[in-house]
Amino acid sequence: MAGKPSSNVTELNSGHGHAGRNPGLPFEAELFGSLRINRSAVERRAATLGTRRSVKKNHQAAWLLRAISLIDLTTLAGDDTPGKVRRLCQKARRPVRPDVLAALGMSHAGLTTAAVCVYHNQIQVAVKALEGSGIPVAAVSTGFPAGQIPLELKLAQVRASVAAGASEIDIVISRAHVLTGNWRALYDEIAAYREACGDAHLKTILATGELGTLTQVAKASWVCMMGGADFIKTSTGKESVNATLPVSLVMVRAIRDYLELTGHAVGYKPAGGISKAKEALTYLSLMKEELDSRWLRPQLFRFGASSLLGDIERQLEHHVSGSYSASHRHPMG
Amino acid sequence: MEVRDLFESMDYGSAPESPDRARQWLDKRKGILDHFIGGRWVTPAGGEYFPTHNPASGELLATVADGNEADVNRAVAAAADALEGWVAIGGHGRARYLYALARHIQKHARLFSVLESLDNGKPIRESRDVDIPLVARHFYHHAGWAQVMRERLSSYRPIGVVGQIIPWNFPLLMLAWKVAPALAMGNTVVLKPAEYTPTTAVLFAELCEEIGLPRGVFNVVLGDHKAGEALVQHQEVGKVAFTGSTEVGRILRRATAGTGKKLTLELGGKSPFVVFDDTDIDSAVEGLVDAIWFNQGQVCCAGSRLLVQESVAERLHEKIRRRMERLVLGDPLDKSIDIGSLVDPTQLERVRSLVETGVEEGGELWQPDCKVPRGGSYYPPTLITEVAPSATLAQEEIFGPVLVSSTFRTPAEAVALANNSRYGLAASVWTENINLALDVAPKLKAGTVWINCTNQFDAASGFGGYRESGFGREGGIEGIYEYVKPFWESRLSKEPVQQLPRFVPAEDNSDPGGPSIDRTPKLYIGGKQCRPDGGYSNAAYDAHGEVIAEVPAGNRKDIRNAVEAARKAEGWSSMTAHGRAQILYFLAENLSARTDEFVGRIVSLSGKADDAARTEFELCIQRIWHYAAMADKYDSYVHATPFRNVTLAMKEPLGVIGIVAPEEAGLLGFVSTAMPALAMGNRVVVVPSQHYALLATDFYQVLDTSDVPGGVINIVTGDQDVLADTLARHLDIEGLWYWGSRSGSRMIEEAAAESMKRTWVNYGLHHDWFDAEQGQGESFLRRAVEIKNIWIPYGE
């Protein structure tokens, strides 16, 4: 729970519900300093998220298609090449086999993934490959994944990636600031990234698997939102523990409280470890239950995933044909 | 709907669980449910049947045998016949059957779940994920108790035929809670399921058939209160276990009074859900969903009374309302709903009417704008704020999805409000401050306290009430003791083992030596000697019938004063066990210093030889030492419940215990009964032996010199049965122990039904107070404590 809003924050509250980017707030430790998260209670709620709601048949197919439209299709490997990235971009444009889409009545729905996410060096290749599709390119930045480089270089990288055509920047926060309780430094860092992003959207990766406790996750979420994050994101996909439902609950509830306080809707992106269609459905249910349907759109929700799409494709074919599908029946990215 | 449209709307749709297999099962039985007696399906003796309905739709599910006394007699006879063989196959033999039941329940888990939801109206998610897994767990756990009975309970034996009456809110789970420990300990069972929800008990009986459970070990008599009454009153039933309303519990307490039937009652509640300002509020909100919107709020331990710290009340209420807007009412078999149907239209009517009362009394009603399905007994989730303790809804159990809320300012006020209830089943405490949580939990009058969680259950942990929520525990070792009795109980004597001296009271009361300096025995109340309210005294005779003193004749008001003094002496209960031990040792020391005086008094009053009196006195000293020693050794433990938490089975003193000491046993009887109660932290009001009253009045002088705080021991001399009656009717004592006549025992148990105080009576039988088991030991200590299970999840 946040503390009492101070007067300057209360003024911001007058804009409740308006659209547009989160402008952030002046740094105020009181807003998050007393937050406490009860891990066991959060885990209990998380454990029933997948069992309290069930989507079946056509509803399930629709939800899975929706999940595809929310994927930041990602490749972040040392051996990424232009060829590999172009292939991925083609998959982002046409994520599902046309006959399956036709059977679902979705041929003309313009289904694509939400974005393609790459390292800086692949931005231009991706931008070119996605030309005319409207699919944005997201770049990971600021010394991804560990972020252990000087701040000037991080800022330079953000600017360079924006200049190269990335319209979304996924930065990693300095975990040290969280672990040492240096919230002001974290806030300043985020605010600087936001400024460097210009019109590009800022996603802040908390690397929750390295923050130690859920209370720290909640506090870091608040500081990132105060600093002007458009999205808060769990993980780089490179930590040993990435997106989990308990962590997601904590971050999503922070988003809810921030919205209540400021009227600004911040997006959420779980990343890493979500590879099954069923998990994706649970995440969507989480967003719908804890927030609302606005968070089932790419403006406010993304999956950071590479292998999730494959599983969804198989499930969709099963829905259409009644037979369990195989990976090789679906074009790879 | 087309996928394309759903892609935009992102609705959940419905996800119905098929009832087909459950219907096939009912069809197989031709829609008729009969008794299961002696391993056979038996039609009702009276030939009558009644219908059971699906409360969500009103459709007929089955017709159910309407049991009567003849059916019950037959079932009890079958259970009695099966008893010897069931005991004889031993713990391991019984363990194998219980294990087989657990396995079979798991194999048929979905059928049980669907049937339960069809019959009761609860969401399939709950019957599937909560009820049935807990049922299986209960049989596994108790298979283990059967296995280790010989080692862990070597001085205990089964009770015999057990009659069990279970409610409709968790039909199969309550069956498991009752049947598993009973069978494990070698008892045989006659079960009477609730008339609204008989189906899963019948399916369970089928499983018993399937695994080859010996005939008569488990019997089901279906029906309504007629069958229940016959079962409770049956002479061959050695124990009655009941879960249901406090009103019916009271009837059962009175019906079994004086019969010697062991009784456990798990009754109603109005359990507080206490939220402090430093809590993880979103988690507390979710806790409330589990507390009051679980099973449509038809949960005896539902966290139905929200107490929230004033500084966060508005914020919490807002978050609760938002959460309530997401709750979905619907068909219990739909996997996407949160709240199903109440069990019956009469319950729906009751909830409606109570809510109306609440609003009339000034409560602020809020219900979400949700769809309420037609056709069933659906009631929407409801929040009523501004419900003061004086409001009906703050005191009465609603047994529906209705949360009432009020605020507090300080931890002390939270405790006071939480305890401002006749009930004491459970409580839930929400704070991130461990100091606060562990300070508050022991102060709450509740058998279960959940810290930062709610409605957690497990076979390894005891569950049961304080106050009018009933007595006895189900689950864990606490629950096991409810289904056994110590061998020594069977050795109690019909005649007094210790004899009172026989004499003819002397008629000439004049003292030939002239008046001595009069030492006047008085009552001892609140650490002070005081004259009896009535101003009367009774003659005290020595063993030859000579009057040697006048002893105060205490009356109702003296008992009232004594209880008030005991009530105030709370410091004794919160003192460390070590501290109490020190005082008891000191008491023994000071008593020992006056050996000759006390031995002389024993000789004078009993007519015993000096060495016999000395032996008795020495045993008194030893007994005080024993309980001083046990004060910090009969301690609490931690249950191994299967999730990340500490389930602390905390032994707490009952509070104030009235003790009517055995008439024939003099100082030994006084010490043997008062000391275990004191050692465990109780304050006592003792009505000592009338003949030996002077030993008690001598004794208080020792108390005065031994640092025993005032009010911890109060002594009221006088007519035992008259004073016992006042104690039994007193509404502010937690326990009453009585060693007297058979009719007195009956009176005590009957009168105790009003406040549900814990009673221990001798039914006119006599202990051998010199015997190590009958005069001292764990049985005494167990009666002196209440076990509170505190669930403390951890993990940062």
Side-chain angles (χ1 to χ4, degrees):
Chain A
M1 187 211 74
K4 269 193 173 167
S6 67
S7 56
N8 58 336
V9 173
T10 314
E11 282 161 30
L12 283 168
N13 213 355
S14 58
H16 201 288
H18 72 73
R21 294 181 68 183
N22 166 35
L25 293 176
F27 179 79
E28 194 169 348
E30 204 188 305
L31 286 180
F32 62 88
S34 62
L35 276 172
R36 298 295 302 272
I37 304 299
N38 188 286
R39 178 179 152 201
S40 298
V42 166
E43 286 176 348
R44 270 197 306 281
R45 166 65 168 154
T48 60
L49 276 167
T51 59
R52 275 191 178 268
R53 296 289 180 265
S54 190
V55 278
K56 298 292 178 198
K57 301 189 175 158
N58 276 358
H59 288 83
Q60 189 179 80
W63 279 54
L64 290 175
L65 290 162
R66 172 63 65 191
I68 291 174
S69 78
L70 301 171
I71 292 176
D72 281 0
L73 198 60
T74 301
T75 183
L76 295 169
D79 60 0
D80 284 345
T81 60
K84 157 78 179 164
V85 170
R86 279 194 290 271
R87 208 167 74 197
L88 193 75
C89 291
Q90 290 311 306
K91 187 66 181 171
R93 284 169 175 268
R94 304 201 305 156
V96 178
R97 232 170 58 201
D99 60 308
V100 173
L101 273 188
L104 293 166
M106 289 287 288
S107 297
H108 306 292
L111 182 71
T112 67
T113 67
V116 167
C117 181
V118 293
Y119 270 121
H120 173 85
N121 283 356
Q122 306 300 336
I123 294 172
Q124 283 170 324
V125 177
V127 168
K128 186 145 185 259
L130 293 171
E131 212 165 23
S133 69
I135 301 172
V137 173
V140 295
S141 192
T142 68
F144 182 98
Q148 296 284 17
I149 60 170
L151 182 61
E152 313 86 76
L153 294 185
K154 292 179 179 177
L155 290 167
Q157 194 184 10
V158 172
R159 288 189 203 100
S161 292
V162 174
S167 51
E168 301 179 359
I169 304 293
D170 291 21
I171 65 94
V172 292
I173 67 166
S174 296
R175 278 75 113 184
H177 291 333
V178 176
L179 296 170
T180 59
N182 199 351
W183 300 111
R184 179 82 215 198
L186 178 63
Y187 175 87
D188 290 343
E189 177 184 281
I190 304 296
Y193 297 148
R194 171 65 192 265
E195 196 188 349
C197 275
D199 288 338
H201 281 219
L202 174 65
K203 303 193 198 113
T204 58
I205 303 174
L206 273 57
T208 55
E210 294 178 349
L211 300 187
T213 68
L214 291 178
T215 297
Q216 295 285 59
V217 169
K219 289 181 177 178
S221 298
W222 266 89
V223 174
C224 287
M225 291 187 289
M226 287 166 71
D230 295 295
F231 269 73
I232 53 176
K233 173 178 172 184
T234 57
S235 320
T236 64
K238 312 287 186 189
E239 290 86 50
S240 58
V241 179
N242 294 292
T244 65
L245 285 172
V247 156
S248 299
L249 256 183
V250 169
M251 294 174 71
V252 164
R253 287 170 173 177
I255 290 172
R256 189 169 68 195
D257 283 346
Y258 186 84
L259 171 73
E260 187 192 325
L261 184 70
T262 67
H264 293 294
V266 173
Y268 180 62
K269 179 177 175 183
I274 304 168
S275 57
K276 296 290 178 202
K278 193 167 167 48
E279 291 173 76
L281 294 176
T282 304
Y283 273 94
L284 295 184
S285 179
L286 184 160
M287 301 315 292
K288 194 171 156 80
E289 294 295 313
E290 294 281 329
L291 285 158
D292 60 56
S293 295
R294 281 181 290 166
W295 273 265
L296 301 178
R297 306 280 157 166
Q299 290 76 19
L300 289 175
F301 184 78
R302 302 289 179 84
F303 286 113
S306 45
S307 60
L308 173 63
L309 178 56
D311 193 53
I312 295 180
E313 286 175 87
R314 285 196 297 278
Q315 300 309 321
L316 288 174
E317 185 176 24
H318 171 241
H319 178 78
V320 166
S321 70
S323 303
Y324 290 107
S325 182
S327 299
H328 65 260
R329 295 171 59 84
H330 302 280
M332 58 193 281
Chain B
M1 265 206 27
E2 297 299 317
V3 171
R4 179 78 196 255
D5 301 323
L6 297 172
F7 179 75
E8 293 305 325
S9 73
M10 289 296 284
D11 291 335
Y12 285 110
S14 67
E17 175 78 34
S18 166
D20 292 350
R21 290 285 291 269
R23 289 197 194 291
Q24 281 166 24
W25 180 82
L26 287 164
D27 290 345
K28 190 188 79 184
R29 303 202 76 89
K30 300 192 169 59
I32 298 168
L33 305 180
D34 281 314
H35 306 313
F36 182 71
I37 296 173
R40 294 196 168 77
W41 298 98
V42 176
T43 55
E48 301 284 320
Y49 288 83
F50 62 88
T52 182
H53 298 100
N54 175 351
S57 64
E59 61 162 337
L60 179 73
L61 273 186
T63 57
V64 185
D66 192 7
N68 63 16
E69 195 181 339
D71 296 312
V72 167
N73 289 345
R74 201 166 164 182
V76 173
D81 283 348
L83 196 55
E84 197 184 329
W86 187 239
V87 175
I89 63 166
H92 178 65
R94 293 194 296 273
R96 292 171 79 114
Y97 283 110
L98 289 172
Y99 182 76
L101 282 170
R103 303 283 284 185
H104 274 66
I105 287 159
Q106 285 182 319
K107 284 178 200 165
H108 301 290
R110 195 52 62 90
L111 179 57
F112 271 116
S113 307
V114 174
L115 260 185
E116 200 78 306
S117 285
L118 277 177
D119 204 4
N120 166 279
K122 65 173 67 199
I124 182 71
R125 181 185 68 81
E126 293 177 6
S127 49
R128 179 196 67 201
D129 296 349
V130 182
D131 293 51
I132 307 306
L134 280 172
V135 169
R137 160 82 182 138
H138 229 79
F139 279 96
Y140 279 123
H141 181 78
H142 285 91
W145 277 118
Q147 177 68 35
V148 302
M149 184 182 180
R150 187 180 292 173
E151 290 88 332
R152 292 288 299 275
L153 294 140
S154 55
S155 44
Y156 293 87
R157 65 179 192 77
I159 294 166
V161 177
V162 173
Q164 304 179 323
I165 302 174
I166 56 171
W168 46 259
N169 57 345
F170 295 90
L172 191 69
L173 183 57
M174 291 302 101
L175 175 152
W177 281 23
K178 296 215 164 20
V179 172
L183 296 188
M185 294 297 103
N187 305 281
T188 56
V189 167
V190 177
L191 177 87
K192 209 290 282 177
E195 56 183 310
Y196 289 148
T197 54
T199 56
T200 46
V202 173
L203 177 58
F204 177 81
E206 255 189 32
L207 288 201
C208 293
E209 238 184 343
E210 210 173 296
I211 66 155
L213 187 74
R215 291 176 169 198
V217 166
F218 172 73
N219 306 276
V220 180
V221 175
L222 303 169
D224 60 13
H225 61 95
K226 296 189 300 291
E229 279 163 23
L231 184 57
V232 167
Q233 280 166 1
H234 198 293
Q235 291 209 335
E236 273 187 84
V237 169
K239 183 206 162 94
V240 172
F242 170 77
T243 297
S245 71
T246 293
E247 188 190 352
V248 175
R250 247 185 219 114
I251 293 170
L252 298 195
R253 169 71 289 185
R254 290 182 181 128
T256 55
T259 62
K261 285 190 176 103
K262 212 166 155 156
L263 182 65
T264 51
L265 298 174
E266 202 271 87
L267 309 175
K270 189 77 194 179
S271 297
F273 188 105
V274 185
V275 179
F276 288 99
D277 63 358
D278 67 339
T279 197
D280 172 357
I281 286 205
D282 287 310
S283 287
V285 169
E286 214 54 50
L288 280 165
V289 173
D290 294 335
I292 189 67
W293 295 303
F294 170 58
N295 207 33
Q296 295 72 245
Q298 301 169 135
V299 185
C300 47
C301 54
S304 55
R305 195 159 50 102
L306 172 62
L307 299 170
V308 52
Q309 195 151 11
E310 208 166 334
S311 53
V312 291
E314 201 180 323
R315 185 172 170 75
L316 178 66
H317 288 149
E318 191 47 46
K319 278 179 177 281
I320 295 169
R321 289 186 198 107
R322 185 182 302 179
R323 182 68 182 88
M324 288 169 74
E325 282 173 342
R326 290 279 186 274
L327 294 171
V328 179
L329 261 79
D331 179 359
L333 288 189
D334 185 340
K335 286 177 270 188
S336 283
I337 60 123
D338 298 296
I339 299 178
S341 166
L342 298 184
V343 73
D344 191 81
T346 55
Q347 284 299 314
L348 180 64
E349 206 31 61
R350 178 186 150 80
V351 172
R352 275 190 188 140
S353 131
L354 275 165
V355 168
E356 268 173 33
T357 304
V359 172
E360 278 162 21
E361 291 178 3
E364 286 180 18
L365 175 90
W366 192 88
Q367 291 172 331
D369 184 19
C370 64
K371 284 184 203 144
V372 179
R374 286 155 179 255
S377 295
Y378 293 97
Y379 194 84
T382 301
L383 170 68
I384 305 181
T385 49
E386 304 295 326
V387 177
S390 56
T392 304
L393 294 196
Q395 301 294 338
E396 294 295 319
E397 185 172 34
I398 299 173
F399 229 61
V402 182
L403 179 67
V404 303
S405 174
S406 61
T407 62
F408 64 86
R409 296 164 297 173
T410 62
E413 190 173 58
V415 169
L417 286 167
N419 288 340
N420 187 211
S421 170
R422 293 195 293 180
Y423 295 114
L425 194 50
S428 188
V429 177
W430 292 75
T431 171
E432 287 301 302
N433 178 348
I434 189 169
N435 301 307
L436 181 58
L438 294 185
D439 182 38
V440 166
K443 292 176 179 165
L444 295 174
K445 297 291 178 199
T448 300
V449 177
W450 291 294
I451 308 292
N452 295 321
C453 60
T454 194
N455 279 343
Q456 298 291 318
F457 309 102
D458 184 60
S461 168
F463 181 89
Y466 280 45
R467 296 182 172 169
E468 292 178 34
S469 291
F471 44 77
R473 293 290 180 269
E474 297 186 296
I477 181 71
E478 305 91 288
I480 285 297
Y481 284 123
E482 307 289 343
Y483 285 99
V484 292
K485 56 182 178 188
F487 284 110
W488 66 257
E489 267 187 30
S490 317
R491 295 196 288 267
L492 292 179
S493 163
K494 286 186 177 158
E495 300 302 323
V497 183
Q498 279 77 47
Q499 299 295 333
L500 285 169
R502 291 183 185 169
F503 57 80
V504 180
E507 294 193 359
D508 177 12
N509 284 343
S510 67
D511 192 331
S516 59
I517 296 174
D518 191 25
R519 204 169 101 183
T520 310
K522 291 185 182 166
L523 305 179
Y524 188 68
I525 294 175
K528 294 191 178 69
Q529 301 174 29
C530 47
R531 294 181 196 287
D533 170 81
Y536 288 104
S537 295
N538 297 323
Y541 298 95
D542 70 6
H544 309 294
E546 299 294 332
V547 175
I548 52 172
E550 301 285 339
V551 177
N555 69 8
R556 290 170 57 82
K557 289 186 179 168
D558 297 313
I559 290 290
R560 176 199 66 189
N561 295 343
V563 171
E564 272 174 21
R567 178 62 52 210
K568 280 187 197 139
E570 272 169 314
W572 182 253
S573 299
S574 53
M575 183 185 273
T576 64
H578 173 74
R580 287 196 298 268
Q582 293 303 296
I583 290 175
L584 294 185
Y585 281 125
F586 191 38
L587 175 65
E589 190 184 311
N590 288 327
L591 186 62
S592 198
R594 297 171 69 165
T595 302
D596 290 342
E597 176 195 338
F598 273 88
V599 168
R601 183 72 93 184
I602 293 172
V603 168
S604 155
L605 294 176
S606 70
K608 283 183 184 175
D610 185 80
D611 59 342
R614 217 162 271 281
T615 305
E616 180 178 337
F617 184 71
E618 180 53 33
L619 186 55
C620 292
I621 301 287
Q622 279 186 31
R623 218 149 255 181
I624 300 174
W625 272 67
H626 175 80
Y627 289 113
M630 289 306 289
D632 62 354
K633 291 171 191 65
Y634 188 65
D635 55 2
S636 306
Y637 41 85
V638 171
H639 284 307
T641 52
F643 77 101
R644 195 183 62 224
N645 87 108
V646 174
T647 307
L648 183 57
M650 193 181 247
K651 290 183 179 133
E652 296 186 340
L654 296 190
V656 175
I657 300 181
I659 298 175
V660 180
E663 175 65 22
E664 73 278 12
L667 186 64
L668 183 60
F670 182 98
V671 163
S672 301
T673 53
M675 289 304 140
L678 292 171
M680 293 296 102
N682 298 284
R683 295 92 75 190
V684 299
V685 175
V686 186
V687 179
S689 157
Q690 281 162 255
H691 177 72
Y692 291 107
L694 288 175
L695 280 163
T697 58
D698 291 345
F699 190 78
Y700 67 59
Q701 294 170 6
V702 185
L703 295 176
D704 272 342
T705 60
S706 304
D707 300 339
V708 179
V712 170
I713 307 182
N714 305 277
I715 300 170
V716 180
T717 52
D719 185 310
Q720 281 196 316
D721 276 345
V722 170
L723 298 175
D725 181 79
T726 304
L727 284 169
R729 288 174 204 292
H730 202 296
L731 300 177
D732 202 21
I733 66 175
E734 282 84 7
L736 180 52
W737 297 354
Y738 172 86
W739 283 271
S741 65
R742 197 165 167 184
S743 61
S745 298
R746 183 190 182 101
M747 177 278 290
I748 298 270
E749 289 189 333
E750 261 175 14
E754 186 56 36
S755 71
M756 290 287 167
K757 62 175 71 70
R758 282 75 179 119
T759 55
W760 186 18
V761 301
N762 65 333
Y763 304 109
L765 300 175
H766 297 271
H767 292 233
D768 176 356
W769 294 98
F770 285 83
D771 182 83
E773 281 184 318
Q774 295 180 33
Q776 163 181 306
E778 201 187 334
S779 294
F780 288 79
L781 293 170
R782 197 162 50 247
R783 301 282 187 165
V785 298
E786 188 95 80
I787 294 190
K788 171 187 282 176
N789 276 280
I790 305 174
W791 297 64
I792 313 163
Y794 56 85
E796 183 61 36

